[in-house]
Amino acid sequence: MLNKNFYSLFAGTLGLLLSACTGAQQNSPGAGTPSLRETFRNDFLIGTALNVPQIEERDPKAAALIPLQFNAVTPENIMKAEVIHPQWDKYNFEMGDKLVAYAQKNNMKVNAHTLIWHSQLPAFVRNIKDADSIKQFFTNHINTVAAHYDGKVFSWDVVNEALEEDGSLRKSIFLQKLGEDYIVEAFRLAQKASPHSELYYNDYNIEQPRKRAGAIALIKKIQAAGVRIDGVGIQGHWRAYNISLKDIEESIREFSALGIKVMFTELDLGVLPNPWDSDAADVNKKAEYNAKMNPYPTGLPDSIQSKLNKGYKDLFTLFLKYKGKIGRVTFWGVNDGQSWLNNWPIQGRTNYPLLFDREFKPKQAFYSVIETKTTKAGKKDN
Ligand code: G3I
């Protein structure tokens, strides 16, 4: 662990500089702490997912910390179809527009999430039975939403989670009604409606060989059709004690060999037992609460904390090795209290997957990440 005095000195100066750039208060909880966005500024963007209270800056601690630490933001829910397109001919851009303004004010890039996803669809879509109406929804949705944010967001997750674990196409409403070319079509429409945004395919577990092969086939198909795809997002919902660095490294190599950027888009490292012993992030899978499945309600034991620290250290060491191929690393949330992993796959647990604790204080894992850059080994990488 690096010496704390060193950090105070280093970060005090940084805090001042950053406050000037971002408009944050110098005596905020962020002052005196190193900055992720500054530490990795020459390597890749550092992002976070934001929820409504954070976009509206309702909590002063979050409002002070976020602009100091992150230079990229992804809306956790507010650009999903059920929110942004609640009725057939009604769009709700209010929160998305607030996010764009927030990002501009704080000099951050917006990764818009997400245009085509089988989950969090508006109720009216789930009730449509005929293929023509689904096609019309699909076309109108991409045309209207992507065009509204053209030039305002840096990138779009055009299609999210279209693959099954074996690499085949997920049997979603879009596959069933539109056929297997719907993904190429989604990118074609997005490219036209939002020519100034980068366009990505985003999914979980695509670092694993079978699903990765499916993602590669899908990306090649988009490219072969002469349609633009700029990057792939590997979500990164992993468990702290079970990260396959080999799979991740192979994925960075194989995806970047297709001529596209690699992003880690929803990073969090869960520490709680998993009822099914799998890393899938399928939000529709849920299990019942029992106390055994919530072993750390009041704090994380040192032994588990060390695993979390090591997981993050190993990952960022790998990310730095491939910094030329990685465009962004985004955490799925700002602090542990806000993480979706407190409520999935079991409601009401206490998880610790992020770099800031429930009081927005940097955890040991935060310093493990910073250290990958500031230790001797990290510096060689500069
Ligand atoms: O909007 C309602 C609100 O009206 C209600 O009061 C509240 C009560 O529970 O629920 C609210 O909806 C919740 C919504 O988040 C907004 O907070 C849903 O119950 C909840 O299921 C939903 O969870 C989101 C999940 O996607 C749903 O699919 C998580 O916040 C979000 O982190 C998660 O994000 C996904 C990525 O988009 C794609 N990859 C996997 C990732 C994790 O599941």
Side-chain angles (χ1 to χ4, degrees):
M1 209 48 47
L2 278 186
N3 182 308
K4 265 204 156 167
N5 291 333
F6 165 76
Y7 274 127
S8 307
L9 239 171
F10 170 70
T13 321
L14 243 176
L16 263 174
L17 275 171
L18 275 168
S19 302
C21 300
T22 61
Q25 297 300 306
Q26 217 266 315
N27 60 356
S28 70
T33 304
S35 157
L36 293 165
R37 71 183 270 175
E38 276 306 298
T39 302
F40 296 99
R41 73 184 180 284
N42 294 326
D43 306 314
F44 29 72
L45 294 167
I46 297 283
T48 184
L50 294 186
N51 60 26
V52 171
Q54 290 165 340
I55 297 167
E56 294 189 333
E57 299 178 89
R58 286 189 217 155
D59 174 351
K61 281 188 186 170
L65 181 130
I66 293 164
L68 289 174
Q69 293 295 336
F70 304 101
N71 51 14
V73 285
T74 301
E76 186 173 2
N77 286 297
I78 53 115
M79 284 190 177
K80 292 173 179 172
E82 71 174 359
V83 180
I84 212 162
H85 190 172
Q87 289 164 36
W88 181 259
D89 51 5
K90 190 169 167 250
Y91 295 84
N92 176 5
F93 294 123
E94 192 192 341
M95 278 314 301
D97 291 353
K98 279 192 190 174
L99 176 70
V100 168
Y102 174 86
Q104 274 168 0
K105 179 175 84 175
N106 292 302
N107 204 7
M108 295 161 160
K109 291 193 159 71
V110 175
N111 175 62
H113 174 86
T114 171
L115 286 170
I116 295 300
W117 188 27
H118 64 278
S119 199
Q120 287 181 282
L121 282 169
F124 78 88
V125 176
R126 282 183 262 125
N127 295 329
I128 298 175
K129 298 279 174 277
D130 65 297
D132 280 354
S133 300
I134 290 291
K135 183 151 195 208
Q136 219 181 320
F137 161 76
F138 177 91
T139 309
N140 292 346
H141 181 73
I142 299 177
N143 283 347
T144 310
V145 178
H148 182 87
Y149 289 108
D150 184 35
K152 297 181 185 156
V153 300
F154 179 74
S155 52
W156 265 109
D157 290 336
V158 178
V159 177
N160 192 47
E161 300 175 6
L163 291 166
E164 302 280 1
E165 297 308 286
D166 66 0
S168 65
L169 288 182
R170 184 190 284 272
K171 290 158 199 62
S172 69
I173 185 169
F174 301 113
L175 180 70
Q176 284 163 0
K177 304 286 184 195
L178 307 179
E180 56 182 32
D181 286 341
Y182 84 89
I183 297 168
V184 173
E185 213 38 51
F187 277 83
R188 199 193 304 277
L189 290 167
Q191 155 181 311
K192 194 151 176 248
S194 189
H196 303 98
S197 312
E198 298 200 352
L199 307 177
Y200 306 148
Y201 175 71
N202 190 55
D203 209 334
Y204 57 82
N205 289 352
I206 49 170
E207 72 284 355
Q208 294 176 13
R210 284 193 311 163
K211 201 165 178 180
R212 187 199 315 155
I216 289 173
L218 193 151
I219 293 161
K220 284 185 169 167
K221 186 172 171 177
I222 297 167
Q223 292 175 325
V227 174
R228 179 164 63 88
I229 173 165
D230 302 292
V232 62
I234 300 173
Q235 291 187 1
H237 295 295
W238 294 312
R239 281 180 287 170
Y241 43 86
N242 184 26
I243 304 169
S244 178
L245 294 169
K246 180 174 167 284
D247 286 346
I248 299 168
E249 181 159 12
E250 281 172 12
S251 301
I252 299 170
R253 286 170 184 250
E254 290 183 18
F255 284 129
S256 59
L258 301 172
I260 57 172
K261 279 196 218 174
V262 179
M263 260 69 55
F264 290 88
T265 54
E266 303 186 12
L267 182 58
D268 47 25
L269 300 183
V271 298
L272 299 182
N274 182 313
W276 313 289
D277 209 41
S278 105
D279 279 334
D282 188 336
V283 285
N284 298 317
K285 281 181 88 181
K286 301 231 160 96
E288 285 298 307
Y289 181 92
N290 73 58
K292 253 200 192 151
M293 297 303 273
N294 190 23
Y296 320 120
T298 54
L300 204 55
D302 286 349
S303 59
I304 310 292
Q305 188 107 258
S306 307
K307 288 188 173 139
L308 186 71
N309 301 345
K310 182 170 183 318
Y312 270 117
K313 184 174 173 209
D314 289 348
L315 276 174
F316 273 78
T317 303
L318 183 66
F319 295 162
L320 282 173
K321 181 173 171 192
Y322 289 96
K323 62 184 183 183
K325 304 187 183 311
I326 296 175
R328 168 168 54 88
V329 178
T330 287
F331 295 87
W332 204 241
V334 177
N335 80 359
D336 284 343
Q338 173 222 341
S339 168
W340 73 295
L341 289 173
N342 295 306
N343 292 310
W344 184 90
I346 296 173
Q347 279 277 335
R349 297 199 295 177
T350 310
N351 212 330
Y352 303 82
L354 296 166
L355 300 187
F356 296 94
D357 71 13
R358 285 167 165 75
E359 301 302 314
F360 293 96
K361 293 203 190 85
K363 294 159 58 176
Q364 287 175 22
F366 170 89
Y367 291 100
S368 300
V369 166
I370 298 278
E371 266 183 42
T372 60
K373 187 69 189 177
T374 51
T375 53
K376 248 186 170 175
K379 274 193 177 140
K380 267 191 223 146
D381 227 32
N382 266 326

